[in-house]
């Protein structure tokens, strides 16, 4: 069983009817397309005005006039640009012309985004973007403060190392006092060397301990400032006024972080460890016998070796603290709402999408109209003139043909030939009128 082949005449008729129907829809849509495009352009201009106003520092009449002029120029530019494309792009037929117009559309769309869309995004999400910038700055400052506090506390932990070395020298001095170290009981030369270094370490230990309250106070004050900065990011009211107070708090916090960096005692301990072995005041050997003095000299030499070892250990501990990564430098830079929406664009994708859509939505209308016009042309291709003529067009054509025939006949009639009215008048005999003589015969 063979399938029936489609009738070309019927298929062409359906395409022609579809083309006529699409033409009717396009004609109806064209009655308000310009108005819709104007509304979109005006809406974009309004948001552009709000975005431009946020960038201008001065609120005087000239600034307002400048913002209005810019927004009007944007609205007119968008309206004219898309009006051109709505008319021209669907009308072109060659691929080269369409590619060229597509390039022009892309270039114009980039220009619209550059002059309007980012300002629209600033008007839609500018305040939220600035608050996002404040919140990120608070996080950066908190990280820097905690790191500075951590490094300072690590430096304060060197107090235990210093105390351990000090205690070891005090224990050795006690052994020397009882004669368990050099064999000579009493507080002689060896005892004085040990006590000298124990006193130096004790002073260093006290100096380190005095830094602890200052570190804790600075950290507490920094946390209080951070709490206020966090509150400023979510408070009600204009974000510009909050940014000013936020900037002042950021300056104070930066000063505290710098102070905490300076409170670390690692460099102090490192220098003290270097001096511990290098600066030793050797007392005079006070033993009465040469053998005793030799024992004292040998013990002092051993003490100096131990002292060097302990100093090296303490120096390495201080160097490890100094090698820790320092707190990162944080500087708060105020930004405008327009700059903030660019810096944090990933966080405001819906606002950016809405700002761009209001400017580039007519591009969709251009493509829809181009597709429709292509379908109309495809439906009319191959159709004869008789098939494409409407009833009104047929009447107009018949009327025009009748007028052409009459004009042709009037131009080519013989000059000797008279109109029918004249010929009928000539053929009718006229009655002769005889004069009345007054006689009867």
């Amino acid at each position: 069983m063979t399938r029936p082949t489609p009738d070309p005449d019927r298929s062409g008729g359906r395409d022609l009817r579809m083309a006529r129907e699409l033409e009717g829809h396009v004609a109806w849509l064209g009655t308000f397309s310009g108005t819709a495009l104007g509304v979109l352009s005006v809406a974009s201009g309004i948001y552009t005005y709000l975005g431009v106003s946020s960038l201008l520092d001065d609120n005087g009449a000239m600034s307002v006039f400048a913002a209005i002029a810019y927004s009007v120029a944007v609205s007119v530019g968008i309206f004219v640009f898309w009006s051109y494309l709505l008319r021209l792009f669907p009308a072109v037929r060659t691929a080269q012309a369409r590619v060229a117009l597509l390039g022009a559309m892309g270039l114009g769309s980039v220009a619209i985004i550059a002059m309007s869309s980012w300002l629209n995004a600033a008007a839609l999400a500018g305040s939220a973007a600035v608050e996002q910038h404040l919140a990120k700055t608070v996080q950066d400052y908190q990280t820097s403060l905690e790191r500075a506090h951590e490094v300072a506390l690590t430096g304060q932990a060197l107090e235990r190392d210093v105390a351990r070395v000090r205690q070891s020298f005090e224990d050795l001095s006690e052994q020397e006092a009882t004669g368990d170290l050099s064999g000579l009981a009493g507080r002689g030369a060896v005892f004085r060397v040990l006590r000298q270094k124990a006193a130096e370490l004790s002073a260093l230990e006290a100096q380190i301990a005095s830094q602890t309250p200052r570190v804790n106070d600075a950290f507490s004050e920094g946390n209080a400032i951070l709490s206020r900065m966090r509150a400023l990011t979510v408070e009600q009211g204009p974000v510009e006024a909050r940014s000013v107070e936020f900037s002042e708090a950021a300056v104070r916090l930066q000063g505290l972080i710098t102070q905490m960096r300076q409170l670390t005692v690692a460099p102090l301990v490192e220098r003290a460890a270097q001096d511990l072995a290098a600066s030793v005041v050797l007392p005079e050997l006070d033993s009465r016998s040469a053998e005793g003095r030799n024992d004292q000299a040998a013990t002092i030499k051993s003490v100096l070796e131990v002292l060097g070892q302990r100093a090296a250990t303490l120096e390495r501990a201080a160097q490890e603290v100094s090698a820790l990564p320092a707190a990162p430098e944080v500087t708060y830079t105020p930004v405008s709402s327009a700059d903030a929406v660019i810096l944090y664009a990933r966080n405001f994708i819906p606002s950016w999408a809405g700002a761009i859509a209001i400017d580039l939505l007519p591009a969709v209308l251009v493509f829809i109209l181009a597709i429709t016009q292509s379908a109309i042309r495809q439906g009319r291709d191959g159709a004869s003139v008789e098939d494409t003529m409407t009833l009104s067009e047929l009447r107009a054509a018949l009327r025009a043909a009748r007028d052409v025939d009459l004009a042709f006949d009037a131009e080519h009639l013989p000059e000797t030939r008279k109109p029918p009215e004249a010929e009928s008048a000539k053929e009718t005999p006229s009655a002769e009128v005889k004069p009345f003589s007054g006689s009867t015969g």
Side-chain angles (χ1 to χ4, degrees):
M1 180 178 181
T2 60
R3 298 177 60 186
T5 58
D7 189 355
D9 295 336
R10 291 184 179 180
S11 177
R14 286 196 298 270
D15 293 342
L16 186 59
R17 286 193 298 272
M18 181 191 70
R20 289 175 178 173
E21 184 178 357
L22 291 176
E23 284 179 340
H25 293 324
V26 169
W28 180 76
L29 293 173
T31 58
F32 62 85
S33 296
T35 302
L37 182 58
V39 171
L40 290 175
S41 302
V42 171
S44 178
I46 292 173
Y47 281 102
T48 301
Y49 170 79
L50 296 176
V52 172
S53 300
S54 65
L55 295 177
L56 300 177
D57 296 331
D58 187 14
N59 295 325
M62 192 62 187
S63 298
V64 174
F65 177 77
I68 293 175
Y70 186 85
S71 60
V72 169
V74 168
S75 298
V76 173
I78 292 175
F79 181 81
V80 172
F81 174 74
W82 291 119
S83 296
Y84 272 54
L85 289 175
L86 282 171
R87 288 286 184 178
L88 300 179
F89 189 83
V92 297
R93 299 192 179 188
T94 62
Q96 182 178 2
R98 289 201 171 187
V99 170
L101 283 179
L102 278 175
M105 182 189 299
L107 183 61
S109 299
V110 172
I112 289 174
I113 293 174
M115 71 180 182
S116 174
S117 297
W118 72 288
L119 293 173
N120 296 346
L124 290 172
S127 298
V130 173
E131 291 179 351
Q132 179 72 24
H133 179 63
L134 299 182
K136 182 180 181 301
T137 304
V138 169
Q139 293 178 356
D140 294 340
Y141 272 117
Q142 182 175 1
T143 301
S144 180
L145 179 64
E146 291 178 350
R147 184 57 186 170
H149 184 242
E150 180 182 356
V151 173
L153 289 182
T154 305
Q156 293 301 116
L158 292 174
E159 180 183 357
R160 293 191 295 270
D161 297 330
V162 174
R164 185 165 56 251
V165 176
R166 173 190 57 80
Q167 187 63 43
S168 66
F169 284 113
E170 288 181 352
D171 294 340
L172 289 175
S173 65
E174 294 296 330
Q175 293 178 14
E176 175 64 17
T178 58
D180 295 335
L181 189 60
S182 63
L184 299 173
R187 300 187 175 187
V190 178
F191 179 85
R192 290 195 297 271
V193 170
L194 293 172
R195 282 295 182 178
Q196 173 189 345
K197 294 306 172 182
E200 293 178 6
L201 293 172
S202 179
L204 179 60
E205 185 181 356
Q207 190 174 0
I208 296 174
S210 65
Q211 297 285 79
T212 302
R214 298 177 60 187
V215 172
N216 294 334
D217 292 343
F219 185 65
S220 299
E221 185 178 356
N223 282 327
I225 295 176
L226 279 175
S227 298
R228 178 54 186 162
M229 293 170 70
R230 291 191 192 94
L232 289 173
T233 61
V234 295
E235 280 186 358
Q236 299 294 328
V239 70
E240 291 81 5
R242 287 182 281 152
S243 297
V244 174
E245 185 178 353
F246 188 92
S247 179
E248 296 174 354
V251 171
R252 295 197 307 270
L253 183 58
Q254 184 62 40
L256 283 174
I257 294 174
T258 303
Q259 179 183 350
M260 291 186 66
R261 290 198 191 100
Q262 297 172 351
L263 288 176
T264 180
V265 296
L268 177 64
V269 174
E270 184 177 357
R271 290 192 299 269
Q274 293 171 356
D275 295 339
L276 189 64
S279 60
V280 179
V281 179
L282 296 178
E284 183 180 359
L285 301 179
D286 53 0
S287 179
R288 296 179 180 180
S289 63
E291 184 180 359
R293 288 191 294 270
N294 291 333
D295 292 340
Q296 284 182 331
T299 304
I300 291 176
K301 182 179 179 181
S302 300
V303 168
L304 292 179
E305 291 178 356
V306 173
L307 181 62
Q309 295 174 358
R310 301 293 172 82
T313 303
L314 192 60
E315 183 179 1
R316 284 195 300 270
Q319 289 175 348
E320 291 176 358
V321 175
S322 299
L324 293 175
E329 291 285 346
V330 180
T331 302
Y332 169 65
T333 303
V335 296
S336 63
S337 57
D339 295 333
V341 294
I342 296 177
L343 289 174
Y344 304 98
R346 293 182 178 180
N347 299 329
F348 300 97
I349 292 178
S351 298
W352 270 98
I356 294 175
I358 197 174
D359 289 334
L360 303 187
L361 179 61
V364 181
L365 303 181
V366 172
F367 291 128
I368 291 175
L369 189 57
I371 295 171
T372 305
Q373 291 290 359
S374 178
I376 291 174
R377 287 194 291 265
Q378 185 177 0
R380 287 185 173 276
D381 285 344
S384 62
V385 178
E386 295 82 0
D387 294 333
T388 59
M389 291 182 65
T390 62
L391 182 59
S392 60
E393 291 174 347
L394 180 61
R395 290 175 179 173
L398 292 175
R399 192 181 303 112
R402 193 180 306 116
D403 293 340
V404 170
D405 290 340
L406 292 176
F408 182 82
D409 292 342
E411 182 178 356
H412 293 83
L413 281 175
E415 295 180 358
T416 57
R417 185 178 177 181
K418 301 296 182 67
E421 294 82 1
E423 292 181 357
S424 61
K426 183 177 181 180
E427 292 175 357
T428 304
S430 58
E432 295 183 358
V433 180
K434 297 181 178 182
F436 179 72
S437 61
S439 60
T440 60

